[in-house]
Amino acid sequence: MGYGEVITRSYDRQIDRARVEDLERRCEVGPAERVFLFTDTLGDPICRIRNSPMYKMLVAELDRELVGVIQGSIKQVTVQKPHEDLAKVGYVLGLRVAPLHRRKGIGSSLVCKLEEWFTANDVDYAYMATEKDNEASVKLFVNKLGYVNFRTPAILVHPVNNRMFHTPSNVQIRKLKIEEAENLYYKFMASTEFFPYDIGNILRNKLSLGTWVAYPRGEIVGEFGSNGQIFPKSWAMVSVWNSGELFKLREGPLSGKMVRTLCQFVHNMAGTKSKDCKVIVTEVGGSDALRLHIPHWKLLSCPEDLWCMKALKNEKKKTLRELTKIPPTIALFVDPREV
């Protein structure tokens, strides 16, 4: 039996929403040999990228059947490369192809169409994230489409339960004003890989629950990080997205204790302020020593996620290999808008 031509077009909520949700349910996501967390879009298939500066969703149709989807977003971030700090990057996510229509080139066609949109918007690099053991995804992006392995962050998941953690009496936790948090991010994190230069939009987004700092009690008088103020030797900072994503941490001689305390604080907050919150998800750089202090269940977590990159401009391609060889910064910024 022959097949018609695959048609790729932009997502139309009115005619595609229910079909995309059905496709998501039919597609296998994650390895079958262990517990995996599924994303319920709650009637909004585009919710994972809706808060990004620029975004697009494409669908593929074959004989009037929706057989594939893909999403992408564009932003400006820090990229550690000689003589260049900022780059415009496009993020590829949510690639799904109906099980009965795989190995027909639909996935690669969707990626290429999304890359065309990236190129039209002057994107320097495209990047994507997948599980290290996802052979089909690795073969498609690395072996066929020319993406290069870039980083291996860790995804740590901890369930929320009725147990309340006690905050040590010698640790002070304080919620920061948005302006204070923004200043601290630019001061300490601006050189972190994939740091988004619209961090203010993230912190001011309605889905952001706030930013907190932890430090030894009594070491700070007045506002934390105010002009001319000396920072404590040990402190940690965490921002919380409404999905429970902890997306940035700070260091210090006693940083492990501060990070662990902040994670316990967020657990308590999730249990008392959000009835629907079931897990706390933290994604950190694979070489970040602070990951050892973040509470998580190994059964739910992914110790080695995989980020891959591809240069979309000719002048960038010759330097991409050099970029991937640069040792990773200790921290890796994971944008909560793309989790």
Side-chain angles (χ1 to χ4, degrees):
M1 178 178 178
Y3 292 97
E5 180 183 359
V6 176
I7 299 175
T8 303
R9 60 171 174 79
S10 295
Y11 167 78
D12 185 322
R13 176 179 172 80
Q14 284 189 326
I15 63 177
D16 295 329
R17 181 186 62 80
R19 297 197 297 168
V20 169
E21 290 183 326
D22 177 65
L23 178 62
E24 289 277 359
R25 284 191 292 267
R26 288 187 286 122
C27 287
E28 298 176 359
V29 182
E33 64 269 16
R34 66 176 177 84
V35 177
F36 193 82
L37 300 177
F38 290 87
T39 301
D40 185 348
T41 60
L42 300 177
D44 183 14
I46 210 166
C47 65
R48 292 180 66 189
I49 54 173
R50 185 174 295 283
N51 292 286
S52 297
M54 295 179 64
Y55 60 88
K56 193 176 189 67
M57 184 172 182
L58 300 174
V59 299
E61 288 182 313
L62 179 61
D63 297 331
R64 296 186 179 181
E65 178 188 357
L66 194 145
V67 295
V69 299
I70 195 171
Q71 299 180 18
S73 62
I74 298 174
K75 61 185 177 182
Q76 191 174 43
V77 303
T78 300
V79 174
Q80 294 296 306
K81 194 186 81 171
H83 312 299
E84 180 181 350
D85 293 325
L86 295 181
K88 205 170 185 181
V89 297
Y91 182 48
V92 182
L93 77 161
L95 176 60
R96 305 282 186 269
V97 176
L100 295 179
H101 294 281
R102 292 172 183 171
R103 297 180 178 86
K104 298 177 182 178
I106 296 173
S108 57
S109 176
L110 282 168
V111 176
C112 290
K113 287 292 184 181
L114 189 63
E115 289 179 353
E116 290 178 8
W117 178 65
F118 288 158
T119 300
N121 285 279
D122 202 34
V123 166
D124 298 301
Y125 301 98
Y127 75 104
M128 53 78 67
T130 187
E131 284 198 331
K132 190 176 181 180
D133 297 329
N134 189 333
E135 294 183 5
S137 183
V138 172
K139 286 181 179 179
L140 173 63
F141 283 93
V142 178
N143 298 353
K144 185 174 182 179
L145 297 176
Y147 283 71
V148 178
N149 294 353
F150 179 60
R151 295 290 180 255
T152 54
I155 301 176
L156 309 178
V157 181
H158 191 266
V160 175
N161 51 48
N162 295 327
R163 176 190 175 190
M164 297 294 287
F165 290 99
H166 172 70
T167 300
S169 60
N170 60 346
V171 176
Q172 176 75 43
I173 295 179
R174 179 179 300 181
K175 185 175 183 179
L176 297 176
K177 298 177 182 177
I178 293 178
E179 293 76 14
E180 294 174 325
E182 187 175 9
N183 290 335
L184 287 175
Y185 272 112
Y186 278 117
K187 182 179 179 64
F188 292 99
M189 297 295 171
S191 62
T192 300
E193 288 179 337
F194 280 77
F195 175 81
Y197 265 67
D198 66 334
I199 182 65
N201 291 335
I202 296 177
L203 298 174
R204 290 176 175 82
N205 191 286
K206 63 181 180 180
L207 298 179
S208 176
L209 300 182
T211 301
W212 286 262
V213 290
Y215 52 88
R217 185 175 297 276
E219 289 196 11
I220 293 295
V221 178
E223 295 184 354
F224 189 93
S226 59
N227 292 335
Q229 186 179 81
I230 299 177
F231 289 88
K233 294 180 180 180
S234 299
W235 63 284
M237 181 172 74
V238 62
S239 295
V240 186
W241 197 250
N242 75 335
S243 63
E245 170 77 9
L246 315 184
F247 65 90
K248 188 49 57 184
L249 303 169
R250 278 296 298 166
E251 291 189 58
L254 297 177
S255 58
K257 178 179 180 179
M258 302 302 158
V259 168
R260 187 167 56 254
T261 300
L262 277 178
C263 290
Q264 293 172 346
F265 170 79
V266 173
H267 174 277
N268 293 346
M269 181 175 65
T272 57
K273 294 187 178 182
S274 178
K275 296 181 180 179
D276 297 326
C277 183
K278 302 301 181 184
V279 297
I280 298 171
V281 182
T282 311
E283 190 162 5
V284 295
S287 60
D288 195 334
L290 293 179
R291 59 183 286 188
L292 302 176
H293 301 280
I294 298 173
H296 64 279
W297 280 15
K298 291 183 179 180
L299 181 64
L300 296 176
S301 302
C302 175
E304 285 192 335
D305 202 23
L306 181 63
W307 282 22
C308 299
M309 287 184 67
K310 178 180 180 179
L312 298 182
K313 294 183 177 180
N314 289 330
E315 65 270 21
K316 304 287 183 181
K317 293 178 180 178
K318 62 181 180 181
T319 60
L320 180 57
R321 293 285 179 179
E322 298 174 6
L323 176 62
T324 59
K325 291 179 181 179
I326 296 175
T329 56
I330 294 177
L332 177 68
F333 195 100
V334 180
D335 196 324
R337 299 170 297 189
E338 299 169 350
V339 172

